[in-house]
Amino acid sequence: MSDEVKFTGRCLCGAVKAEIVGAPKWSSHCHCPSCQKATSAAFATYVGFERTAVRFPADEPKMYRSSPGVKRRFCGACGSPVSFEGEAWPGEIHFHALFLDQAREFEPEAHIYVKSRMPWVELSDHLPTFRKFDEEGEG
Ligand SMILES: [Zn+2]
Ligand SMILES: [Zn+2]
């Protein structure tokens, strides 16, 4: 693996920065109750990478275990959500898309957990929807 930095990220205040040497694996929107609370937003958009392709060259983000096997990282100075890691996705780190400087390049492929979608969010982008993360269907 070449260690040329391909993508970068930064939180709102700039204390946490990321450098990524690998390609994104996928991107999707998550409407689960845990992502809703962690971001105080209707849904969260993620871009997944191999954990080994990522380094944090400035401040180490703080970490909160929101459920068993789940690590949510955020900036300890400004509170911006940074990433998600879960045992269901071993070896991966899922960045909040807009933490990444190249967010415009990562087009989401699906909506997951639409089971808990806010009733006032209207999905009109024609992406596939999953009731949970692997169960296809309208929420
Ligand atoms: Zn910050
Ligand atoms: Zn979620």
Side-chain angles (χ1 to χ4, degrees), residues 6 14 16 26 35 44-45 49 56 62 66 72 76 79 85 89 92 103 110 113 137:
K6 295 197 176 71
V16 174
W26 54 265
C35 289
T45 306
F49 293 89
F56 294 107
K62 299 267 187 248
S66 56
R72 292 181 181 273
E85 287 151 89
W89 298 269
E92 291 191 12
Y113 277 95

Side-chain angles (χ1 to χ4, degrees), residues 4-22:
E4 185 198 336
V5 175
K6 295 197 176 71
F7 305 108
T8 52
R10 106 189 257 293
C11 65
L12 181 60
C13 77
V16 174
K17 292 185 167 66
E19 292 179 343
I20 305 167
V21 299

Side-chain angles (χ1 to χ4, degrees), residues 30-32 34-35 46 72 113:
C30 184
H31 299 252
C32 85
S34 182
C35 289
Y46 292 100
R72 292 181 181 273
Y113 277 95

Side-chain angles (χ1 to χ4, degrees), residues 38-137:
T39 58
S40 299
F43 57 90
T45 306
Y46 292 100
V47 186
F49 293 89
E50 294 291 344
R51 183 65 182 87
T52 54
V54 171
R55 57 181 177 250
F56 294 107
D59 284 9
E60 194 65 31
K62 299 267 187 248
M63 195 258 284
Y64 173 66
R65 292 179 189 275
S66 56
S67 45
V70 170
K71 296 176 185 169
R72 292 181 181 273
R73 298 184 196 274
F74 59 96
C75 173
C78 72
S80 302
V82 171
S83 63
F84 170 102
E85 287 151 89
E87 277 171 0
W89 298 269
E92 291 191 12
I93 182 165
H94 306 164
F95 278 103
H96 286 279
L98 276 76
F99 173 81
L100 300 170
D101 298 320
Q102 296 78 19
R104 287 169 187 277
E105 296 176 29
F106 309 123
E107 211 168 312
E109 293 146 30
H111 288 273
I112 64 171
Y113 277 95
V114 293
K115 195 178 135 178
S116 40
R117 171 179 62 89
M118 284 291 109
W120 38 261
V121 168
E122 194 178 333
L123 303 180
S124 55
D125 54 19
H126 309 295
L127 293 175
T129 60
F130 297 84
R131 281 183 54 74
K132 291 187 177 171
F133 72 86
D134 51 1
E135 203 179 296
E136 216 156 338

